[in-house]
Amino acid sequence: ICRGVMLRRFAIIATLGLASALRPTPTHLASALSQPALSRRALLPALAAAATVRPSPALAADALEQHTTGSYQVTFGAPAGWPVSEQELQGSRYLYIATDPAEPDSANVVLTFQPLAADYTSLGSFGTQQLVGNSLMPQCADRSGGGCTLEGYGIEGKMLGTDTLKGAYTYDYTIQQTGKAPRHLRTLFAVQTEEGRGRRLVTLTAQCYESKYAELKPMFQKVLESYSTSLK
């Protein structure tokens, strides 16, 4: 099982909590999700699905409210007053979604967990930060070697920046689909370990309409900075 497959699968998991707002999942991605174990090759494209999601409610509060995740031993922040829902997925995957019911289809915060094999002891197990980041972009390469474009595929993405935070990878990127408002996303990727063995891959994503990003940028940064875990 290769890194690329694993990354492809996980990107889908990271946004499944918004299933009602998702475009139909491609057959090859749905098949990957049906398998409980992730390959080292599958995680890269999975991250791309996070970009194709159509977020729910809007990120509008100035203050963060801290939330805990029980046995997952993670604390994260979401705008105060946003109810947080939970969803268990196939293969011991789990996610938390914070939404603002007052402003549907504008933005949200999603935290996801994916079990890992014990030998996945760091983000380096999946390759370089650039390799992981590339998986967040829509995957549309054809025989000509081209990538996704609005003209050719009706979707395109742009990576605006990468960084690290508390040992995690962070990404700043946009996704645009034909006929839909462009989206701006900030995503954090982290690996939880216990006694030197890999336990879970974690993503924390805040996303919104591009037109709202200038207003919400400080909040998005606070959301990513709020991530903490008692597992190292």
Side-chain angles (χ1 to χ4, degrees):
I1 307 181
C2 56
R3 290 184 179 87
V5 176
M6 180 171 236
L7 287 172
R8 184 181 300 270
R9 289 178 185 168
F10 189 74
I12 301 169
I13 296 299
T15 54
L16 276 183
L18 305 174
S20 61
L22 283 170
R23 299 184 310 161
T25 303
T27 302
H28 70 288
L29 296 183
S31 176
L33 284 176
S34 68
Q35 304 177 31
L38 289 179
S39 68
R40 278 188 157 77
R41 222 171 53 161
L43 241 187
L44 281 179
L47 310 176
T52 65
V53 91
R54 186 176 162 216
S56 289
L59 213 66
D62 292 328
L64 286 184
E65 181 177 351
Q66 296 299 310
H67 300 274
T68 57
T69 59
S71 62
Y72 293 105
Q73 300 182 57
V74 162
T75 299
F76 72 103
W82 285 23
V84 176
S85 60
E86 304 176 26
Q87 183 176 354
E88 185 172 5
L89 307 174
Q90 185 178 14
S92 299
R93 297 142 184 161
Y94 209 86
L95 58 82
Y96 293 79
I97 309 168
T99 58
D100 180 359
E103 195 173 359
D105 198 35
S106 175
N108 58 26
V109 174
V110 180
L111 176 71
T112 70
F113 296 94
Q114 167 70 57
L116 292 177
D119 60 333
Y120 287 86
T121 57
S122 71
L123 287 168
S125 300
F126 302 108
T128 65
Q129 182 170 13
Q130 180 180 355
L131 181 64
V132 175
N134 289 345
S135 70
L136 284 166
M137 298 295 95
Q139 308 293 304
C140 300
D142 55 24
R143 293 180 181 178
S144 68
C148 295
T149 63
L150 285 177
E151 296 78 10
Y153 295 93
I155 186 171
E156 65 182 13
K158 179 181 293 186
M159 183 62 67
L160 304 177
T162 64
D163 205 344
T164 58
L165 178 66
K166 302 178 182 179
Y169 292 164
T170 63
Y171 301 92
D172 181 356
Y173 56 106
T174 59
I175 298 293
Q176 185 171 0
Q177 292 177 267
T178 300
K180 297 182 180 180
R183 306 280 175 174
H184 201 129
L185 303 92
R186 299 286 300 277
T187 295
L188 174 149
F189 284 94
V191 167
Q192 286 184 318
T193 62
E194 188 171 24
E195 298 181 351
R197 299 167 62 86
R199 288 289 305 275
R200 304 180 191 93
L201 182 61
V202 184
T203 67
L204 177 61
T205 296
Q207 52 185 314
C208 69
Y209 291 146
E210 178 61 45
S211 60
K212 295 179 64 67
Y213 183 70
E215 172 191 355
L216 299 175
K217 180 179 179 180
M219 174 62 73
F220 277 23
Q221 183 63 29
K222 289 180 181 179
V223 169
L224 296 192
E225 291 175 351
S226 72
Y227 171 83
S228 66
T229 178
S230 58
L231 293 178
K232 305 301 180 184

